[in-house]
Each structure stands twice: as C-alpha cells, then as structure tokens.
Amino acid sequence: MADNFTATAFYRALKEEGQIVGVKCQACGHLSPEPRPMCPICHGFDMVSHRFSGKAKLDTFTCISIVPVSMAAKGYGRDKPYCSGIVTLEEGPRISARISGVDGANPQNIKNGMDVVLDVADLDEESPSVAFKPA
Amino acid sequence: MTTVNKKRQLARQVSIVGAGLSQFGAFPEKDSRDLFVEAFKDMVQSMDQGFDIEDIEGAYIGNYSSDLFEHQGHTAPIVADWLGITPIPITRIENACASSGSALREGVLAIASGMYDVVLVGGMEKMTNLPTDGVTDVLASAADGLYEVPAGLTFPGIFGAIAKAHMDRYETNLDHLLKVGIKNHENGALNPKAQFQQTITAMMERRMARAQERGHTVPDYKTDLDFLNDPQANPWIAWPLRLYDCAPITDGAACVLLVADEIAHNFTDKPISIAGIGQATGKPLHDSDELTSLSAAKAAAQQAYDMAGVTVADIDLAEVHDCFTIAEIVATEDLGFFAPGEGPRAVDEGRTALGGDHPINTSGGLKSKGHPVGASGVGQVIEIYHQLRGEAGARQVKKANPTVGLTHNVGGTGGTCVVNVLRRES
Ligand SMILES: [Zn+2]
C-alpha cells in the first residue's frame, strides 16, 4: 500500500508497529510525520514512507483542566489536568502530542527543551494518539 | 513561474454606511435567526438617512457552526426569510471565528466586481445551548481533527501552548496576560452591548460582598491582580491560561451595509471606507514557522496595509482578535504595533488602553464584549465604524479625530486571518 498516505495508515502504524511512519518527498527531501500524498513545499506527488526515530525535544506545552468529552471519559478534568504540547522530532519536523509521564497539575516542573521519546505503552485501541514521555 | 501581478487593488471602492449589533450575552430563548434580526433592526433604525430594505442585492453571513450548536444547517436562507429579503442570493461563509471577517470580504469583492451596489454582510452564532464541554468540542473542531485534536489539544490548549512559548522566549509573565483582560473589561464596562459590562475591580468587589453576605471568609484582595491570582476566583482552563484569560461563550449577531462608494452619500454624510482588505491562511501551530506568532496575521496585515497605502504608524486604533489574552499580545506584535516580545511591556505601560498611543479593543474586545464566533469579525468592524465617526460615547478614543482604524480577525488558531483597514473620508 505504498500510496496509502492517510491518517488511518498513520494511526495503524502507531498501533501495530509502535512508530511514527510519515512521508518523505523524493523530489525535495521534505519530511512530514503526517502522511500526505502531496509535498506541501515543492508540490510534487512522489512521496515515500519514512520512519521517524521517536526521539524528540519538547517545544512548548499546556496543561488542560477544562477537558474535551473524550478526555473526561478517561478521568481527566479540573482535579486532574493533562499535558499536551508540540515536540520537534530528531529528524526536524514538529508534531502535536500528548505529553505523558509528567504531572499536569504541576506545570512548573515540566521544562521546554527537555528530551522526550515516543510513548506507545498506553495506546487507546479505539482512538490511538501520539504521546511522548520524558526520555 | 510567477506570471501574475500580486499588487492588489479593488476595481472600485466600497464603503460602510450602516451598522447593527445585537445584545451580546446568553439568551436561552433566542435562536441565531432571532439574533440576526435583532442586529439588522439595530442597523435599520440607526441609518443616518434611512434605507429601503428592497435595495439589498446580495448578502453574505458568517456562521461557524449552527450545525453543531443548534443542529441547523443551511442557515443563510433562513436568515433571508426572517428578513423578508428572499429571493436575493445569500451565502453562508464558514472560516471558524473569522467567518464574518471573510463574509465581509466577499461582500466587498462582490461590490468591487461591479456585480452589486448594495450588499448586506454580517455574522451570527448561538453558542449557549450546549454545556461547556460540548462548546469546547465544537471549538476544537476548528483545529486539525486528525493531528491536533487527538493529541488532546483544545482551542484554549493551543493558545496556552503559544503563551508558554512566548513566556519562555520573551519576558512575558502571567500578570501581563491578566492585564490584557483588566484593560479590556475597563473598555467593555463602557459598552452597552457587551456581555460583561463590568470592570475586573467591580467583579472583585462583588465577590467580596457575596462572601460577606453569606458569612464566609471575605477574601483579602487589595488589587485586581490579587483577585485574578486567586485560583478559587480564576481557575485554570489550559495552563498558563485561566478563566479570565479566555473570551466567554456568547450568543450574538452583527451586520453592516456595504455600498459602492459613488452612492455612499445617498445613505450617510459619514461613510467609512474600506481602504484595505487582507486575508491569509496558516498551518497548524506545530507546522508554523514560529510558535509565538500567527503567520497568516502578518500576511493579511501586509495585504491590507499595501492596498490602503498606509503603514502601521497611520493606524489610530485597532480591534484585534483577543479570543485569549495571549492572542491580543501576539496580534499587536504580528500587526507591527510593537516589536516581537514587546507586546507585554506595551500593556504594562498602558499604551493599548483607551488613552494610549495604540488603543486596542476599545469595544471591550472578545474578552469583555463577548465572542459569538461567527459574528465577531463584523462586530470588530462595527466598533471601528463608530469610533471613526466619533460616536463611541464613553469609550471614544482620547486622541482627536481618529481617521484610520484596523480590524484583525482570526479563525481557529491562525488557519485564517482577515485584516481590514478602515478610513473616514473627510
Ligand atoms: Zn517536495
């Protein structure tokens, strides 16, 4: 399924292979952790699968107390905020992610710039999401 | 291969000759069509030389999500029916919180093209039917549902992440954010259409009085910041953002009447010209060049400045998209009022207050006036319209004879940004 560059394929790979499998543009080398059929930089269509190492640095984050319905169902809320943020992957591009293994009630202890690694230990079977934890 | 001349001018000029705003707030018994009629009535009844509703030739209405908020799609023809203007064409525009900014732009283009002479543009949103978590979900759907929302990012969450990045990169602190809200509530207290017509000081005093009445311990607040730093009074929403850093959930509508410049004086002696329009798109925050700026805002502002032939120094006042306090700080930097990182200090020094050199959000902004998302872009334009006509009453800017104003309307977290430069023609 070389041309199946979709979110379905992305989350299937996350669940089954425990990796971020994105794409690389054959023409200009642009990397995207989100699979996409077309290069947003050179507008070419010659994309190939690319596996990311899962190593990253935390760029910025937030600790969310007013939570969406899906996170409330997992026990998060005012008394138990969760952390989400943006990380820069070792290969260069950024991605949005849950930040696991940190205390959302104590954001002063979470540091931008810290090394993080992909965390697939606690993937939700129904709706898997990208998570990183302190390295 | 660039074969297109990118220097943009309208084929003919467009003016605003009338403006109407509904009351902003929570109105359990009103649907969005009722809110829009209320705004329209306000416009019709305040037109300087009256106007014949039959003259409207087309309409564009911004609305983010009547589908999810009211379980009602295809809302534009319903509005046409309620105004009694069928069969004129009316089109709903959806660009998240920039929906009516984009609707206004479509109206301008329709007149500039020569197609119409008189166009109604506006916006509406009925948000308070849903509980807070439902509204949170609806607003989050303006972000990328495949790669941002699954990461747990809510709408306040993404702006919280921007705030954290700004705090790390510059000298920004939590008090700077709170001071934006204090300033906007001071302005909103002077706006009879605002959802919260109260200063933060008044809210603080009310909380102390309530505690006294109920025989509870009266909190020992000495300043607005004491009150806002009390986690009981101002709980976290998405750290580092708290309740008073967030625009409220609001029902409301807004509309303006656009006409070709050459007939503007048939409607009023004080038309306000749309001197420059800009609209641009941006990527999700994780794919943005910077985490402390919205690239679409910079691009849209440049388009609007260029078309109007003005620089930032010519702008007398601005309404910017303060869906969160950090968003106002970032907006004032993206628009060029202050250098990157200087926005917080400008707030500290009162430069963005009613009497400052760059008055921002004299209406109270989205924070205090309210944020019915699909109506907010045109709501901003209406504030500038009144300020430039010198009819903003108690909240009229202190500088004499303001002639050029700007609006900055953001959809989602910068996926869309619309900037307009408005000018009073002497
Ligand atoms: Zn490419």
Side-chain angles (χ1 to χ4, degrees), chain B residues 237 280 368:
Chain B
I237 302 292
S368 173

Side-chain angles (χ1 to χ4, degrees), chain B residues 212-271:
Chain B
Q212 182 119 41
E213 279 166 27
R214 292 174 187 175
H216 298 165
T217 313
V218 178
D220 182 26
Y221 305 134
K222 300 228 164 27
T223 67
D224 287 4
L225 287 175
D226 290 345
F227 166 65
L228 293 174
N229 279 310
D230 173 2
Q232 297 299 317
N234 191 14
W236 296 107
I237 302 292
W239 185 93
L241 302 180
R242 285 171 271 194
L243 180 64
Y244 283 84
D245 290 303
C246 305
I249 294 163
T250 308
D251 303 331
C255 65
V256 296
L257 192 68
L258 302 179
V259 304
D261 247 16
E262 57 258 37
I263 61 167
H265 285 271
N266 298 347
F267 299 86
T268 176
D269 292 334
K270 291 192 287 185

Side-chain angles (χ1 to χ4, degrees), chain B residues 8 62 82 106 134 183 194 281 286 321 372:
Chain B
R8 303 292 182 201
W82 245 240
E106 293 305 315
K183 184 262 297 175
T281 49
H286 58 244
H321 199 91

Side-chain angles (χ1 to χ4, degrees), chain B residues 311-388:
Chain B
T311 69
V312 66
D314 298 312
I315 306 297
D316 290 312
L317 76 160
E319 289 281 302
V320 309
H321 199 91
D322 60 323
C323 48
F324 301 95
T325 50
I326 183 63
E328 175 168 319
I329 289 174
V330 168
T332 58
E333 296 173 357
D334 286 342
L335 293 166
F337 295 142
F338 312 113
E342 292 294 313
R345 193 164 72 189
V347 175
D348 257 345
E349 293 170 351
R351 297 183 62 188
T352 59
L354 215 50
D357 62 329
H358 283 293
I360 302 291
N361 287 332
T362 57
S363 69
L366 311 181
K367 172 72 197 80
S368 173
K369 185 176 67 175
H371 186 22
V373 291
S376 285
V378 166
Q380 296 173 323
V381 167
I382 291 173
E383 177 67 8
I384 300 295
Y385 176 80
H386 290 309
Q387 288 280 356
L388 296 183

Side-chain angles (χ1 to χ4, degrees), chain A residues 25-30 39-44 47:
Chain A
C25 172
Q26 290 287 73
C28 77
H30 176 70
C39 177
I41 305 302
C42 76
H43 314 301
M47 310 299 279

Side-chain angles (χ1 to χ4, degrees), chain A residues 7 10-11 34-36 59-69 78 82 84 86 94-98 107 112 129, chain B residues 132-133 136-137 146-148 150-154 157 160-161 164-165 168 235-239 285-289 291:
Chain A
F10 175 86
Y11 287 109
E34 302 90 2
R36 42 170 90 210
D59 279 311
T60 188
F61 68 89
T62 176
C63 293
I64 298 177
S65 301
I66 299 299
V67 306
V69 175
R78 275 176 201 277
Y82 64 90
S84 286
I86 292 175
R94 293 198 195 104
I95 192 168
S96 292
R98 280 283 320 282
N112 282 351
S129 63
Chain B
T132 301
D133 59 352
T136 300
D137 279 6
L146 299 179
Y147 296 109
E148 287 180 303
L153 286 168
T154 58
K164 170 62 177 161
D168 268 25
W236 296 107
I237 302 292
W239 185 93
L285 185 64
H286 58 244
D287 270 341
S288 299
D289 293 341
L291 300 175

